[in-house]
Amino acid sequence: MAVSANLEKALDKAFENVSLDELLAAPPSALAGLTERHDALFLEALNVKTIGELGSNKFIALAVALATLGGKQG
C-alpha cells in the first residue's frame, strides 16, 4: 500500500523532494524552523545527528507520549 504525505511546510526547501531514507539521514536542520545551531545543540545534548535519531530518541519519545496523554485529560 502506497502512502503519500505533503511535507512541504515541514521541511527545509532543500529537502522537499528527497527520499524518506535521505530525509531520515539528514540533520535536524532539514526540518523547517531548525538551523545548523540546533544541529549542534541536539548533538551536544542528546548525541543526535540525524532526523532518524531524533525521532527514535528515548527522551523525545517519552516527552511525546506524556504530551499526548496530557492532551487527553480534562
Side-chain angles (χ1 to χ4, degrees):
M1 170 170 92
V3 176
S4 127
N6 184 351
L7 299 174
E8 188 174 292
K9 293 183 181 185
L11 300 175
D12 182 90
K13 292 260 183 230
F15 292 89
E16 287 180 355
N17 294 307
V18 301
S19 70
L20 181 56
D21 286 340
E22 291 172 303
L23 192 54
L24 291 173
S29 59
L31 300 173
L34 296 181
T35 66
E36 290 179 3
R37 175 71 179 127
H38 294 106
D39 293 341
L41 292 170
F42 279 121
L43 181 59
E44 181 181 331
L46 299 172
N47 196 32
V48 164
K49 298 178 208 89
T50 68
I51 291 173
E53 291 173 352
L54 182 63
S56 62
N57 180 276
K58 66 181 181 181
F59 299 110
I60 298 206
L62 179 57
V64 169
L66 291 170
T68 301
L69 288 171
K72 295 187 189 269
Q73 294 177 345

